[in-house]
Amino acid sequence: MAHPQRIVFAFYCILLVNIAAVCGLTSRGNFDDYQNEVYSDYAMDGNKKLRFPFLMPSVRPTTPELYLCTPIKVDPTTTYYIVGFEPNATMNTAHHMLLYGCGEPGTTKTTWNCGEMAKASSEETASPCGSHSHSQILYAWARDAPKLELPTGVGFKVGKGTQIKYMVLQVHYAHIDKFKDGSRDDSGVFLQYTEEPLTKLAGVLLMGTGGSIPPVATEHMESACEITEHKTIYPFAYRTHTHSLGKEVSGYRVRSNDRGIQEWTLLGKRDPLTPQMFYPVENKSPILFGDFVAARCTMKSFRHRVTEIGGTNEDEMCNFYLMYYVDHEEPLDMKYCFSQGPPSYYWANPDTGLHNIPHI
Ligand code: IYT
Ligand code: CU
Ligand code: CU
């Protein structure tokens, strides 16, 4: 079953990449006229803005709590700038969707069972991006969220000259009742993009921790990093992610004032059990060389066992994603800011470089 698909995939990639000028943004595994149509309109500044439908190829989920992935290969001869994401989904069908930028896709199939919680099932699974490849989240949708337009003039650079060679769409189908009658699904996102070079480039910094949460306890999972690159970072959106024990996730910019006292400026704070998509930051003021970024998850466990960081529902995660742009420079080389987490790492440890820590 997988074998013929792989051949078809490889064939169309070569074909479509070669005729990229007519194809637009990408080529994909399954050849489907609709998938390769490109719509165009004109943005206010006269720059050509194009639209690429990145949708599930008419799938029929048959197991509840399924995470399904589908890839597109970005034409490697062209640089594209993604400037907006228009969801094509409703909460009746899709629980949530994530769009990943990858160096390699997790498999060569047209669709596959992916996702952190998928491991429990006996079926073969693979992550959205290849296991040793570049991997970042570009967009997240949940609960009928409206379209996300990046700030004017800002785009994610993908394709030629970037680490993003593929994009992978992941859809979480929680309930499958509506598929019992044989109906199919094309949830996904319309990518708004341009080929006109943009100077403001978007990036995502992923903050999180390892560690564990003791039984029947409230625990703080904290991480922090100093910005050691001479860049001006304009934060504009954030996303939080935990599993079921998360009560609050917050992120801060930390800067020393002229008296050497650290001032903590809130970037975003929310209950991680609200829809896990990107929300506008509380404070748009830039992050500079020498500042710290810091994130904290407050976790509350009534379990009688230890909860570790890990990929399943029995485990936890503590993530704070910061989406930002830079102007006339490359996004941060620092893509991750992870700490060991509890019980070894806390902001208040003597060697973190942090003080004046906010109370909760
Ligand atoms: C251990 C952990 O915190 N995993 C997170 C963060 C993560 C994101 C990406 C780790 C890696 C990545 O390539 I992108 I390695 C995690 O799995 N977070 C989930 C996603 O499945 C991305 C989330 O919804 O934020
Ligand atoms: Cu979901
Ligand atoms: Cu998780």
Side-chain angles (χ1 to χ4, degrees), residues 65 67 94-97 172-174:
E65 299 303 336
Y67 285 73
H95 183 262
H96 81 263
M97 301 192 290
H172 175 199
Y173 297 96

Side-chain angles (χ1 to χ4, degrees), residues 96 98 100 115-116 128 135-137 170 206 208-209 239-241 243 276 309-310 316-319 321 336 338:
H96 81 263
L98 288 178
Y100 293 81
E116 39 174 291
S135 164
Q136 76 175 94
I137 288 186
Q170 180 188 50
L206 167 49
T209 79
R239 171 181 180 261
T240 64
H241 171 73
H243 301 168
Q276 296 183 355
I309 290 289
E316 267 304 329
M317 286 188 188
C318 167
N319 296 161
Y321 294 83
Y336 303 98
F338 267 74

Side-chain angles (χ1 to χ4, degrees), residues 105-283:
T107 75
T108 53
K109 297 182 188 163
T110 308
T111 63
W112 69 92
N113 186 345
C114 61
E116 39 174 291
M117 320 283 197
K119 283 173 206 130
S121 79
S122 54
E123 237 189 291
E124 213 186 305
T125 63
S127 348
C129 299
S131 46
H132 300 292
S133 87
H134 174 81
S135 164
Q136 76 175 94
I137 288 186
L138 302 175
Y139 174 64
W141 175 92
R143 220 160 327 135
D144 290 353
K147 73 172 169 196
L148 173 69
E149 300 229 19
L150 303 186
T152 311
V154 176
F156 278 102
K157 188 174 164 186
V158 304
K160 188 181 179 185
T162 78
Q163 292 179 291
I164 301 177
K165 307 296 183 196
Y166 291 81
M167 283 184 275
V168 171
L169 170 71
Q170 180 188 50
V171 179
H172 175 199
Y173 297 96
H175 313 290
I176 52 157
D177 301 350
K178 62 166 293 183
F179 298 107
K180 292 222 169 96
D181 67 356
S183 56
R184 298 189 160 267
D185 183 61
D186 66 347
S187 293
V189 39
F190 291 92
L191 303 175
Q192 297 177 349
Y193 70 97
T194 177
E195 291 177 35
E196 317 286 342
L198 293 176
T199 61
K200 294 178 178 173
L201 299 183
V204 176
L205 174 63
L206 167 49
M207 306 186 67
T209 79
S212 59
I213 304 156
V216 205
T218 298
E219 184 60 284
H220 286 154
M221 310 192 97
E222 298 172 331
S223 63
C225 293
E226 187 176 351
I227 305 294
T228 57
E229 297 172 50
H230 289 271
K231 290 173 179 172
T232 304
I233 294 129
Y234 301 91
F236 64 87
Y238 74 101
R239 171 181 180 261
T240 64
H241 171 73
T242 69
H243 301 168
S244 47
L245 304 186
K247 288 287 163 258
E248 184 177 86
V249 181
S250 54
Y252 295 87
R253 180 194 78 178
V254 185
R255 176 176 298 169
S256 294
N257 67 18
D258 43 20
R259 286 169 289 121
I261 309 291
Q262 283 179 339
E263 289 172 351
W264 292 62
T265 306
L266 187 70
L267 294 166
K269 168 158 61 181
R270 62 188 305 112
D271 175 348
L273 300 184
T274 57
Q276 296 183 355
M277 52 196 208
F278 283 95
Y279 295 92
V281 291
E282 294 287 328
N283 208 300

Side-chain angles (χ1 to χ4, degrees), residues 8 13 21 59 84 183 196 286 302 317:
V8 170
C13 278
V59 294
S183 56
E196 317 286 342
F302 291 106
M317 286 188 188

